[in-house]
Amino acid sequence: MSKLHDDLDNVIKKLAETSLSGLVTPSIISSETVLQHGTTFPISPIKESHLPIANIKVKTANEVMLLAALHEARAANAALKQRLIALQAANILNEMYCSKLRGQLAHFEEKKKKGGKMGKVLGDGLPRLLSGDEFFQRVVEFEEAQEKAAVEKMTRGEERKRHSEALATWKKSEEARKVENNAQRAHYHEALQTWNKEKTRAKTEGRKFGEKRPILGKLAVAVPRPKLAKVTEDVESDGEYIELGDDGASCVSNEED
């Protein structure tokens, strides 16, 4: 067991010195991490031997042992080749899977970078000249983004409230429509039943029946269910922001304080 632990420690130390250090160290794995899956190589197909081994006639005990060993070796070789094919197939699938995950991770990292740009004015920690034109423009753009996010958030709240009220009104009108249609259907079936009785009586009495057959009439059509309008997502802020005073001076503060 001690030798096994030593071998594992050596493997971990070697991995820590390669691009796969993220697998054995607390460092974060990024899309730049490349996992080496090894090179595939051709494997010859499994073929049945044409040698007439089954027809060999053994004469001595040694020949019996040698023939048995030959059968075992051939069976072991076939089993190892099958295992090798399975491992290589799994290796190819793992490489495809890891490549897909790296692409998704790279997309997530890029999206995270783009999403965090408007959340920080002094995100890189570098000094800034607060009266500089470039920095002032960044402050203006940042404040505009914050105001836009606040307006969109308020708009979403108003839209949810409007949708909730419209939905409640729609449910009431839908219930009233169903009650009205059911009443109309019941009245129609009752009138139809009376009409059939009168028609049968007139036929029995041998007189002409000229009353028109009652009709159901047009039912109230369902009103479409109100939908919630889509509003742009909030611009999240997780860093420092700048507040301009009345005199145009800039004040640096941090949202986490």
Side-chain angles (χ1 to χ4, degrees), residues 139-192:
V139 172
V140 172
E141 293 176 357
F142 178 81
E143 289 187 343
E144 290 177 353
Q146 294 296 317
E147 292 176 0
K148 181 180 178 182
V151 171
E152 290 176 353
K153 185 176 182 180
M154 183 180 299
T155 304
R156 273 197 304 275
E158 294 175 352
E159 175 60 24
R160 291 192 187 98
K161 182 179 179 181
R162 183 205 64 78
H163 177 261
S164 179
E165 294 174 352
L167 187 61
T169 303
W170 176 81
K171 288 181 178 179
K172 290 181 180 179
S173 63
E174 189 68 9
E175 291 176 1
R177 182 188 67 85
K178 292 179 180 179
V179 171
E180 181 181 350
N181 286 345
N182 290 335
Q184 184 175 345
R185 290 190 185 96
H187 182 268
Y188 163 73
H189 288 298
E190 183 179 353
L192 182 61

Side-chain angles (χ1 to χ4, degrees), residues 23-236:
L23 299 176
V24 293
T25 61
S27 60
I28 299 177
I29 298 178
S30 66
S31 58
E32 301 296 330
T33 303
V34 180
L35 182 61
Q36 300 295 336
H37 293 271
T39 306
T40 58
F41 53 90
I43 302 175
S44 61
I46 300 176
K47 299 180 180 179
E48 295 184 1
S49 177
H50 297 288
L51 297 177
I53 299 178
N55 298 330
I56 296 178
K57 296 181 180 180
V58 295
K59 297 180 180 180
T60 63
N62 288 336
E63 291 179 350
V64 173
M65 295 176 59
L66 290 174
L67 185 60
L70 178 59
H71 282 291
E72 292 178 358
R74 292 183 62 187
N77 184 43
L80 289 175
K81 183 170 287 190
Q82 289 283 5
R83 182 60 177 168
L84 181 60
I85 294 174
L87 289 175
Q88 184 157 302
N91 189 40
I92 294 173
L93 293 176
N94 286 332
E95 186 174 3
M96 295 171 61
Y97 178 71
C98 290
S99 178
K100 186 174 182 179
L101 287 183
R102 283 185 63 199
Q104 293 179 354
L105 182 58
H107 175 72
F108 173 78
E109 292 172 351
E110 185 67 21
K111 184 177 179 181
K112 188 175 181 181
K113 289 179 182 178
K114 291 182 179 179
K117 286 183 178 180
M118 294 306 298
K120 293 183 180 181
V121 177
L122 302 177
D124 54 7
L126 297 177
R128 292 287 189 278
L129 180 62
L130 299 185
S131 60
D133 293 339
E134 180 182 356
F135 179 74
F136 181 80
Q137 182 62 29
R138 291 184 61 185
V139 172
V140 172
E141 293 176 357
F142 178 81
E143 289 187 343
E144 290 177 353
Q146 294 296 317
E147 292 176 0
K148 181 180 178 182
V151 171
E152 290 176 353
K153 185 176 182 180
M154 183 180 299
T155 304
R156 273 197 304 275
E158 294 175 352
E159 175 60 24
R160 291 192 187 98
K161 182 179 179 181
R162 183 205 64 78
H163 177 261
S164 179
E165 294 174 352
L167 187 61
T169 303
W170 176 81
K171 288 181 178 179
K172 290 181 180 179
S173 63
E174 189 68 9
E175 291 176 1
R177 182 188 67 85
K178 292 179 180 179
V179 171
E180 181 181 350
N181 286 345
N182 290 335
Q184 184 175 345
R185 290 190 185 96
H187 182 268
Y188 163 73
H189 288 298
E190 183 179 353
L192 182 61
Q193 187 176 6
T194 303
W195 182 84
N196 286 328
K197 289 181 179 178
E198 291 296 331
K199 182 180 180 181
T200 303
R201 181 182 300 176
K203 185 176 182 180
T204 303
E205 295 175 354
R207 55 184 175 86
K208 186 178 181 180
F209 183 74
E211 186 177 347
K212 292 183 178 180
R213 180 188 176 96
I215 58 175
L216 176 61
K218 188 176 181 180
L219 299 175
V221 182
V223 179
R225 182 187 181 97
K227 297 181 179 181
L228 181 64
K230 294 183 179 180
V231 185
T232 309
E233 295 291 334
D234 280 340
V235 178
E236 297 183 356

